[in-house]
Amino acid sequence: MRSEININEIEANKQKEIMERLRIRITDKSKELGRPLTYCSVCFGCQMNAKDSEKLEGILETIGYVRSESEDADFLIMNTCTVRENANLRVYGRLGQLKKYKKKNPDMIIALCGCMMQESLVVEKIKQSYRHVDIIFGTHNVFKLAELIENKLNSKGMIIDIWEGTTEIVEDLPSERKYDFKCGVNIMFGCNNFCTYCIVPYVRGRERSRKPEDIIAEIKNLVADGVVEVMLLGQNVNSYGKNLDNPISFAQLLEQVEAVEGLQRIRFMTSHPKDLSDELIAVMAKSKKICKHLHLPMQSGSTKVLADMNRRYTKEDYLALVDKIKTAIPDISLTTDIIVGFPTETEEDFNETLDVVRRVRFDSAFTFIYSKRTGTPAATMEFASTEEQIKERFDCLLKEVQDIAKETCSKDQGQVLEVLVEGVDEQDASLLTGRLSNNILVHFPGDESLIGTFQNVKLNEAKGFYYLGERVE
Ligand code: SAH
Ligand code: SF4
Ligand code: F3S
């Protein structure tokens, strides 16, 4: 193991040296132009991708690029998602638009990375039809961005560097945080579950956990830097630590995170129901810092469909787990993901899904129409229903989850609860937006200086998915 640590340290140092060289080159270029060089970072997909984008932005800022929200920048990086077909289509649409910027500014560099780039068919298509792209890399070598930029500046062609997988976790590179007071922290990468509909294990590789000491050190640094809330990130946090040299459970990791002084709130994503342990429920129930929110993707309520999805739990297992959680943590807010129209789903199976939704009464549910991902086992399954039937089911489910969520989310009306103030309300600048422990938002009058602080707020009016409130001293 020692040699692996050294390889990672050597790699991090190499990247830092390249960043220094690039910084000089970029400073020279901006002197020549009489203006700073800008970068624009676009991110699709989940929190894992958002976290990767923060790392990419950290590297870009370190080498001297200045952030811009406009795609008309000197360096544009698009971090892509391929979980559903429409995520891909959005990227191709945007890419077409970029051609005109590159015509105006031939020195512009366009880089593509993320999950979509791990698919060879995608890379082939870009090589053929989108020649204006300069750099393509994947999910395993985000830490190499500086090296890829340097390669690009030294050569004319398209730079392509996609890794099939990796065992490396390169620590200690810069990261540009989106918020001062809260931050995502990777605890593991990849996924071993191979749900039959899902592309993630193919594009993110096998499960790798970071060492607890690295995670805790990162969180302590973040806290010293003003962070009060962390979101621990992994595709399946409940299997954290199993493949470490010194195995440790996710619940044990949470206890270590809880002990970090100055840290006030802990969130995590995502929990797979099959691995959610009694130990975790017990740790959550007694914790002062873990938020009262659990995202527990159910995908389907039909035991048959769940088996076809390779989820490895039944409808009854899921309901029993929810009961256990609600008994141990009565004020928990439960949210979920549901797929409608999985190939083998019939009307009867869908009714099982509705049944679970009605029994659990989720605070919110992300609902998706099944999207075929080439290369996954479900892609070759025959459809038991027509597109029209699936669309009808989707509309019906959406209405049901929204009606229930409106009621469930209103249950704390009239109470005074603590929020972490996250920013100014996007719709009304006289209001602030705060987040309750259970993840629901509250809008209330207040001054910008409160951003990043905890405030007690009276929840005056439930508006369905959020509250209007007022601050109480
Ligand atoms: N690791 C997480 C989910 C990551 S993907 C978990 O297992 O819970 C986020 C969500 O996208 C999934 O929960 C699923 O509901 C949805 N999803 C994944 N693949 C999909 C597909 N092929 N079609 C439609 N929805 C999909
Ligand atoms: Fe995809 Fe399943 Fe892994 Fe989640 S657990 S990322 S749905 S394969
Ligand atoms: Fe998308 Fe990749 Fe996340 S496919 S959902 S960005 S892991």
Side-chain angles (χ1 to χ4, degrees):
M1 279 332 276
R2 271 236 63 83
S3 64
E4 194 187 302
I5 295 169
N6 287 338
I7 291 171
N8 293 341
E9 273 178 20
I10 292 167
E11 186 60 56
N13 288 336
K14 175 178 159 196
Q15 295 304 321
K16 284 178 194 160
E17 278 167 26
I18 299 174
M19 283 184 231
E20 267 169 43
R21 288 203 294 272
L22 280 177
R23 192 174 172 86
I24 296 168
R25 261 171 109 161
I26 285 169
T27 312
D28 287 350
K29 181 79 185 171
S30 79
K31 274 189 197 140
E32 186 190 313
L33 294 173
R35 63 169 178 85
L37 290 190
T38 56
Y39 79 91
C40 174
S41 165
V42 181
C43 182
F44 300 96
C46 64
Q47 264 105 342
M48 254 65 63
N49 249 23
K51 180 71 196 180
D52 283 346
S53 281
E54 290 190 357
K55 294 177 187 171
L56 296 165
E57 289 156 20
I59 295 170
L60 291 168
E61 300 257 343
T62 306
I63 64 180
Y65 281 106
V66 175
R67 188 182 186 98
S68 154
E69 296 310 320
S70 154
E71 288 185 3
D72 192 359
D74 296 292
F75 190 99
L76 181 112
I77 182 142
M78 240 195 258
N79 193 1
T80 62
C81 169
T82 184
V83 77
R84 286 170 291 273
E85 182 64 22
N86 52 8
N88 293 43
L89 297 178
R90 272 161 69 201
V91 170
Y92 290 126
R94 293 282 268 276
L95 267 184
Q97 307 268 317
L98 294 179
K99 239 184 191 155
K100 61 174 187 277
Y101 298 135
K102 188 121 185 194
K103 267 211 181 110
K104 240 176 44 190
N105 176 7
D107 286 338
M108 177 185 191
I109 299 177
I110 299 177
L112 287 177
C113 64
C115 296
M116 223 175 127
M117 301 305 129
Q118 292 292 139
E119 295 179 276
S120 47
L121 285 178
V122 169
V123 175
E124 277 314 306
K125 178 164 172 171
I126 292 169
K127 266 161 65 183
Q128 275 175 11
S129 311
Y130 299 90
R131 298 290 314 160
H132 54 300
V133 172
D134 299 286
I135 301 175
I136 301 180
F137 59 106
T139 56
H140 301 296
N141 50 353
V142 164
F143 67 90
K144 264 186 85 176
L145 175 63
E147 187 175 340
L148 299 174
I149 295 176
E150 190 173 57
N151 291 348
K152 175 65 210 174
L153 293 176
N154 293 343
S155 74
K156 276 204 156 23
M158 199 187 267
I159 304 286
I160 303 179
D161 190 9
I162 315 282
W163 296 6
E164 280 300 312
T166 183
T167 51
E168 281 186 53
I169 299 178
V170 180
E171 300 279 352
D172 248 3
L173 284 173
S175 184
E176 181 64 21
R177 297 210 318 267
K178 196 163 168 215
Y179 297 95
D180 293 333
F181 52 88
K182 67 171 186 176
C183 188
V185 175
N186 294 116
I187 62 166
M188 60 198 300
F189 303 93
C191 179
N192 286 353
N193 288 316
F194 291 96
C195 302
T196 56
Y197 51 81
C198 183
I199 192 94
V200 171
Y202 304 87
V203 296
R204 286 269 169 185
R206 295 295 66 73
E207 249 172 52
R208 280 151 290 136
S209 295
R210 284 178 74 197
K211 291 198 220 64
E213 53 272 29
D214 288 337
I215 297 169
I216 298 298
E218 179 178 346
I219 294 176
K220 282 186 176 160
N221 280 337
L222 289 170
V223 170
D225 209 23
V227 165
V228 288
E229 175 180 306
V230 291
M231 163 89 85
L232 308 180
L233 298 172
Q235 289 298 352
N236 179 13
V237 291
N238 297 330
S239 70
Y240 169 79
K242 290 184 180 157
N243 53 7
L244 283 171
D245 283 349
N246 299 312
I248 144 173
S249 69
F250 179 52
Q252 287 167 326
L253 175 74
L254 277 174
E255 288 193 305
Q256 291 190 23
V257 177
E258 174 113 14
V260 174
E261 237 169 89
L263 181 68
Q264 315 233 30
R265 274 184 176 182
I266 305 167
R267 299 183 185 276
F268 53 85
M269 275 202 106
T270 299
S271 278
H272 194 305
K274 82 175 162 65
D275 296 314
L276 201 146
S277 66
D278 289 351
E279 187 197 11
L280 175 65
I281 298 175
V283 166
M284 285 182 79
K286 70 164 193 252
S287 166
K288 300 245 170 339
K289 297 186 180 173
I290 301 173
C291 289
K292 303 290 179 202
H293 172 220
L294 190 62
H295 186 63
L296 195 60
M298 70 177 252
Q299 312 301 1
S300 168
S302 152
T303 295
K304 182 200 88 193
V305 171
L306 287 169
D308 294 342
M309 288 175 160
N310 189 31
R311 289 292 287 180
R312 285 173 276 177
Y313 52 86
T314 63
K315 174 186 184 185
E316 289 69 32
D317 293 338
Y318 190 87
L319 286 170
L321 182 62
V322 165
D323 264 352
K324 204 153 57 170
I325 296 166
K326 284 187 171 172
T327 309
I329 318 161
D331 47 350
I332 191 104
S333 144
L334 288 175
T335 59
T336 200
D337 292 346
I338 303 171
I339 298 176
V340 177
F342 183 81
T344 60
E345 183 188 88
T346 62
E347 196 64 25
E348 239 172 66
D349 296 314
F350 175 69
N351 286 332
E352 300 278 356
T353 299
L354 274 184
D355 184 43
V356 179
V357 164
R358 288 176 184 141
R359 291 213 223 166
V360 178
R361 304 188 65 74
F362 294 105
D363 281 70
S364 85
F366 296 100
T367 49
F368 307 105
I369 288 187
Y370 167 77
S371 169
K372 176 175 143 180
R373 307 317 289 133
T374 306
T376 61
T380 53
M381 294 180 190
E382 300 255 336
F383 275 90
S385 310
T386 64
E387 244 176 76
E388 215 174 22
Q389 287 169 323
I390 293 171
K391 181 76 183 46
E392 257 172 42
R393 284 179 208 155
F394 181 80
D395 293 341
C396 164
L397 178 70
L398 191 63
K399 184 170 183 319
E400 191 72 28
V401 295
Q402 285 183 345
D403 288 351
I404 292 173
K406 262 188 211 156
E407 277 181 44
T408 317
C409 295
S410 307
K411 66 178 185 295
D412 292 323
Q413 178 162 297
Q415 288 215 50
V416 175
L417 291 175
E418 191 179 57
V419 295
L420 172 57
V421 185
E422 295 202 338
V424 175
D425 181 6
E426 279 167 14
Q427 255 96 61
D428 179 346
S430 71
L431 300 180
L432 293 173
T433 297
R435 195 177 292 273
L436 294 166
S437 169
N438 71 8
N439 212 33
I440 293 178
L441 297 179
V442 186
H443 306 291
F444 60 99
D447 182 82
E448 255 181 71
S449 62
L450 297 178
I451 293 173
T453 66
F454 287 93
Q455 299 294 325
N456 287 322
V457 175
K458 175 140 193 246
L459 309 179
N460 288 332
E461 198 185 340
K463 292 296 240 181
F465 308 105
Y466 63 93
Y467 290 99
L468 289 178
E470 65 186 316
R471 199 153 69 90
V472 240
E473 294 294 333

